[in-house]
Amino acid sequence: MTGVVIVFLYLIAVSAAGMGVALIVFRGAGRVAAEVWLPVSFALGLGLQAMVLLSAMVAFGAGPVWLAGVAGLVALGAGIALQIKGDPARRVDLGGFQMFANPPADGNQRALHFAAFALIAFFVVVVYLNALSYPFTSYDGRAIWSYKAKVMLHEQSILGEAFTDPYRIHYHRDYPVLVPIAMYAIYDLTGGVNERLVRMLFSTFFLMQVLFLYGMLRRIGTGGALAMVGALFYCATPFRDDWSERDGGALNSGAVDIPLSFFAMVSVLGFLLFWRERQRWQYLLGGVFGGLALMTKSEGVVIVAVALAGNMAVALFGRGGAIKRDVALAIGGVLLSFAVALPWQIAKSGIPNFYDEDYGAQFRPDILLGAWQRLGVILYTIGKEIVFIEKWNWYWVALIAMVPAAIPAWLGRREFFLDSLLLAWLSIYLFVYMVSPLNLVFHLNTSTSRLASHLLPLVLVRLILFWAARNPFDTPARLAVLRGGAAPC
Amino acid sequence: MSAERALGIAMRVVDVLIAVVFVSVVANAANTWPVYIVGDKLLAYHFKALFWLLVVRSASVVPWQRFPVLPPIRIAAVVVAGIVYLLFLHTLILTNFYSAVVAVMHTRAAFKGATDAEIAIDITEHNKWYPRMSFVIKVQELVPEDAAIAYIGDQRPHIMSYLLYPRRVYALPEMQTTLNQSIQDNWTWSHLEDPFHKQEDPQNPRRRPTPPDLAPERIQAEMRRMIAERKIEWVLYYDSLYTDKSFIERVDPATLATP
């Protein structure tokens, strides 16, 4: 029980440190709901911890956990100082939980809102209990992620020979380390490797993702109970049950795709809001969280690439007017992501890579010309995956069913950013399979679930946006507004 | 038939189903208790069905008439479709009920000091490892933490490396060629036994069906250098399928370097 308390205190401390950074990021945003600032603070705290410890490892050869604590205190102090001494007009107003402060006024909507909340609370408790009851023992969980954390626990570095000696047995030694660094901190604070307690980290990511999804759905215009129902949909995805209940789960990745999915969601929704409202904090969220995705898994590169694709689509074809400025903003967002991930890029340069996951080398005419022959197998496997309703519920099927209605919306530049981005994302994953240097069947069978999980929160956002304009529970007056007043992007 | 009457009939059907499943749950629980009640799959499905049915039944207390755009006939249709959906597809929204029971029991057992083997009945990967852990523990007791180990074995080198850390676990050069093949092509070793995976892939010339052909003298020279540099004094032979055939031995580095 002491370990549980220590892990919770650690997670709170990380969020407090991240809040210092969040107060800087949200500057000028006015009132920010707790459903937004809390998840963002948690993620920024973990990002700060990774950046500081990686920088210390590169600069001094060791990154002790206390150093992250000091950096967290400095960040919190800086954020508070800016709140007190800075321009009062740009001060951040940290709001409470809107789900309690401003529930829907209508009786039926309110009942639906709180019923959905009760189920979400139940699911979250189950996820935490599962974390404590099943150890983190999947193959990748141990061989890739926990091994890195264990090495850091003993050596306080990723630049020792456990990482750099090619003869040392270390699976995917150059995979990003944001999550292993958080695991290392938990191991350090709880007195050693604990494969149960460490899973609370992933449960917290799940909780934060649900909170943020709710907060964003409220903000982007789905009124009434729909935001809570949308969050409930995410909770109720069976794959979520898989990863929380069984250690490797359906994702075969030691649950690290959950943080990646969270970072990707915040990055994309940050840019989505930015193209609608043009506020600085939204742009920062988009860029910074792209950087966190880069520091979490190799697929982070894809996430940054699709964010760029979505941003460029809006900049060039979104009828925004100032094309040059918007293109610069689109590219600047990507540069911000790489700047955030710079400590990892520097640290990674000292780690050898002697296995073939080099997709860049696949851009050769002979491979590209022959790649179409793989299309049948790829589409069949992906199709089989997404119609598997016992894993993904009806969400992917619903997305496909929505396509005929979404095409006119896309052509009319409504939800243009999100649709362009989802299209780019699916295209990139399809292309990755077409040129994959790995055995294709093996690659498909071990990765389609996790790739689908990366996209799922945004698929749900798209479905909710689609439903919002046709919500049978909404009032006629509000429906008229939603149907008639859809803004570009 | 009016919509209200259709809804009423649907709810009676649900009531009967609830009663049947409830009796079945009790009978099943009595049958399996005290072996491992929550590990029983049949019982799990009963739990799912029961919970779903209760959810559907609760639909009858919702004041549907307050929803202006949903006439009663649609409500009845939704309820009937819901029964079919929930009973036959088990799409897991509320398997959390079962999941929660399992989680509470496991957590409680863990806090009471139960071993992983006693708790993790249905964790496949963990179960696969538990019988092997006795061998790992023996190695941990025998080999000092600052020692270096050469690994010869099957497809679990990465887990062994993890479990034995901070002992340094190395792949021998002669094995490294094979290991590289496995890692570089991202195959598991079992794939190597699969004829399909041995086929050449004309679209992917980088995929090698056979290990690179290195000269024996080069391998030996590399091996001697590697062993001497890393002060390897232990060799671990590991077979995850037949753990009793696995062993670790202390060797003279000079002997180890000799082919």
Side-chain angles (χ1 to χ4, degrees):
Chain A
M1 187 53 84
T2 312
V4 174
V5 174
I6 291 172
V7 174
F8 270 123
L9 288 176
Y10 163 72
L11 296 170
I12 291 168
V14 161
S15 303
M19 192 193 290
V21 186
L23 286 172
I24 299 166
V25 169
F26 284 126
R27 199 148 177 76
R31 189 173 182 79
V32 184
E35 289 90 345
V36 175
W37 65 254
L38 181 59
V40 167
S41 298
F42 171 70
L44 289 176
L46 289 175
L48 178 72
Q49 172 182 263
M51 289 173 78
V52 168
L53 294 190
L54 279 170
S55 302
M57 286 171 194
V58 172
F60 312 117
V65 173
W66 61 261
L67 197 61
V70 172
L73 282 174
V74 171
L76 186 60
I80 292 171
L82 203 60
Q83 279 281 88
I84 297 168
K85 302 276 185 186
D87 179 5
R90 296 180 57 75
R91 199 171 284 164
V92 184
D93 181 5
L94 295 176
F97 286 97
Q98 295 305 299
M99 62 179 76
F100 304 122
N102 291 309
D106 174 74
N108 275 327
Q109 298 257 355
R110 185 188 287 263
L112 191 58
H113 173 88
F114 282 111
F117 171 79
L119 277 174
I120 289 173
F122 176 64
F123 293 158
V124 169
V125 169
V126 170
V127 166
Y128 272 101
L129 285 172
N130 277 332
L132 292 170
S133 60
Y134 294 91
F136 189 74
T137 52
S138 65
Y139 196 89
D140 282 11
R142 276 177 158 175
I144 300 176
W145 308 108
S146 194
Y147 184 75
K148 289 173 173 44
K150 204 173 179 181
V151 171
M152 282 186 259
L153 179 66
H154 284 81
E155 302 175 14
Q156 300 186 337
S157 174
I158 61 165
L159 299 173
E161 61 108 35
F163 278 81
T164 56
D165 185 347
Y167 285 118
R168 271 293 277 274
I169 297 177
H170 183 170
Y171 197 32
H172 293 314
R173 63 187 68 214
D174 68 336
Y175 270 17
V177 290
L178 185 144
V179 171
I181 283 178
M183 294 168 73
Y184 151 48
I186 289 174
Y187 290 164
D188 192 56
L189 294 170
T190 54
V193 174
N194 189 318
E195 292 175 336
R196 286 178 197 279
L197 291 176
V198 78
R199 294 194 69 213
M200 290 172 66
L201 174 71
F202 301 100
S203 308
T204 307
F205 266 111
F206 171 72
L207 169 63
M208 295 299 170
Q209 185 157 23
V210 173
L211 281 177
F212 191 83
L213 189 60
Y214 170 77
M216 281 294 114
L217 286 175
R218 267 186 82 110
R219 186 168 182 112
I220 59 182
T222 53
L226 253 188
M228 191 63 87
V229 171
L232 177 61
F233 279 171
Y234 179 68
C235 285
T237 314
F239 98 93
R240 195 258 333 130
D241 200 59
D242 267 1
W243 77 258
S244 79
E245 186 178 325
R246 292 179 283 279
D247 49 340
L251 301 178
N252 287 321
S253 65
V256 178
D257 286 280
I258 303 300
L260 182 76
S261 160
F262 173 52
F263 295 145
M265 179 185 78
V266 178
S267 176
V268 169
L269 292 181
F271 282 128
L272 172 75
L273 282 183
F274 175 73
W275 292 117
R276 286 179 174 214
E277 302 172 12
R278 302 268 179 175
Q279 291 187 30
R280 189 189 67 126
W281 66 272
Q282 298 158 346
Y283 185 73
L284 288 176
L285 279 193
V288 169
F289 275 73
L292 298 184
L294 283 173
M295 287 205 289
T296 303
K297 278 200 85 185
S298 309
E299 290 94 324
V301 176
V302 173
I303 285 149
V304 173
V306 295
L308 176 65
N311 288 345
M312 288 299 275
V314 175
L316 294 172
F317 310 112
R319 299 173 187 168
I323 290 181
K324 277 186 185 173
R325 185 199 59 191
D326 286 352
V327 167
L329 283 169
I331 295 169
V334 175
L335 294 178
L336 178 59
S337 298
F338 280 104
V340 168
L342 197 60
W344 164 241
Q345 299 295 338
I346 293 169
K348 185 186 174 185
S349 63
I351 301 172
N353 174 355
F354 58 97
Y355 53 86
D356 292 355
E357 276 192 335
D358 188 358
Y359 294 99
Q362 296 297 100
F363 285 87
R364 290 178 5 202
D366 56 333
I367 293 177
L368 294 176
L369 286 172
W372 66 270
Q373 293 177 22
R374 295 174 158 202
L375 201 56
V377 178
I378 296 168
L379 291 178
Y380 169 74
T381 311
I382 293 177
K384 197 175 65 171
E385 175 73 26
I386 63 178
V387 300
F388 188 13
I389 55 173
E390 291 209 15
K391 191 190 279 183
W392 301 109
N393 220 322
W394 293 93
Y395 306 145
W396 285 99
V397 177
L399 185 78
I400 294 166
M402 194 195 77
V403 167
I407 289 173
W410 188 66
L411 293 173
R413 303 297 188 266
R414 295 193 306 277
E415 305 306 340
F416 189 61
F417 171 77
L418 193 52
D419 286 349
S420 304
L421 184 138
L422 287 173
L423 193 64
W425 206 332
L426 290 168
S427 305
I428 288 180
Y429 278 162
L430 192 67
F431 187 71
V432 163
Y433 284 129
M434 287 174 75
V435 302
S436 168
L438 311 175
N439 176 280
L440 183 60
V441 175
F442 173 81
H443 195 189
L444 282 165
N445 288 341
T446 53
S447 62
T448 43
S449 288
R450 71 180 78 157
L451 300 190
S453 79
H454 301 162
L455 280 146
L456 185 76
L458 296 168
V459 167
L460 280 173
V461 169
R462 187 65 188 92
L463 288 173
I464 293 290
L465 284 173
F466 182 76
W467 190 15
R470 298 160 178 78
N471 180 6
F473 303 115
D474 219 331
T475 60
R478 190 175 154 72
L479 276 176
V481 172
L482 282 167
R483 285 173 181 154
C489 311
Chain B
M1 185 191 296
S2 71
E4 286 79 5
R5 184 163 168 72
L7 187 62
I9 291 171
M11 285 304 157
R12 294 292 83 73
V13 173
V14 173
D15 286 342
V16 172
L17 285 170
I18 287 174
V20 170
V21 175
F22 185 76
V23 170
S24 185
V25 164
V26 174
N28 209 279
N31 191 35
T32 53
W33 184 266
V35 180
Y36 194 75
I37 184 167
V38 293
D40 185 81
K41 273 201 167 181
L42 189 62
L43 193 60
Y45 282 112
H46 279 87
F47 272 129
K48 283 181 199 172
L50 186 62
F51 197 50
W52 278 112
L53 284 167
L54 289 171
V55 170
V56 174
R57 187 64 183 81
S58 69
S60 65
V61 299
V62 174
W64 295 105
Q65 66 280 10
R66 292 180 61 187
F67 288 89
V69 292
L70 277 185
I73 187 68
R74 286 198 196 175
I75 298 169
V78 166
V79 171
V80 172
I83 293 169
V84 174
Y85 174 71
L86 302 175
L87 277 181
F88 295 104
L89 297 178
H90 295 295
T91 39
L92 296 180
I93 285 185
L94 298 171
T95 49
N96 288 275
F97 176 70
Y98 166 64
S99 185
V101 173
V102 177
V104 168
M105 291 188 72
H106 283 191
T107 309
R108 192 162 160 262
F111 281 128
K112 283 188 164 186
T115 65
D116 284 350
E118 289 164 338
I119 299 167
I121 299 297
D122 53 354
I123 304 177
T124 51
E125 183 67 28
H126 196 64
N127 272 1
K128 273 190 273 176
W129 265 96
Y130 188 75
R132 301 166 192 162
M133 281 307 292
S134 57
F135 175 69
V136 173
I137 290 167
K138 277 181 199 163
V139 176
Q140 286 170 338
E141 287 170 354
L142 188 65
V143 181
E145 289 196 348
D146 59 350
I149 302 170
Y151 179 93
I152 298 173
D154 65 5
Q155 77 270 29
R156 301 278 164 177
H158 310 108
I159 298 290
M160 196 56 85
S161 180
Y162 167 75
L163 291 171
L164 294 180
Y165 187 89
R167 295 157 196 85
R168 293 166 289 141
V169 182
Y170 297 97
L172 285 175
E174 62 182 352
M175 183 206 162
Q176 185 72 20
T177 54
T178 324
L179 191 68
N180 272 349
Q181 181 197 359
S182 169
I183 294 172
Q184 288 185 356
D185 295 335
N186 208 356
W187 293 350
T188 61
W189 287 53
S190 57
H191 283 109
L192 298 176
E193 302 304 317
D194 179 353
F196 175 80
H197 290 87
K198 286 183 176 169
Q199 290 169 8
E200 293 280 355
D201 185 351
Q203 286 158 44
N204 185 0
R206 302 185 73 187
R207 216 190 93 195
R208 292 184 306 276
T210 52
D213 188 17
L214 297 180
E217 56 273 19
R218 186 181 152 194
I219 291 175
Q220 285 168 27
E222 177 71 5
M223 195 160 132
R224 280 192 205 97
R225 188 179 63 78
M226 192 277 249
I227 289 166
E229 281 178 2
R230 290 163 182 77
K231 300 182 176 61
I232 295 174
E233 291 185 351
W234 298 84
V235 179
L236 173 63
Y237 300 87
Y238 184 67
D239 187 328
S240 64
L241 293 178
Y242 305 99
T243 312
D244 54 328
K245 290 181 181 173
S246 305
F247 62 96
I248 186 160
E249 62 177 352
R250 186 157 198 168
V251 292
D252 177 359
T255 315
L256 188 61
T258 306

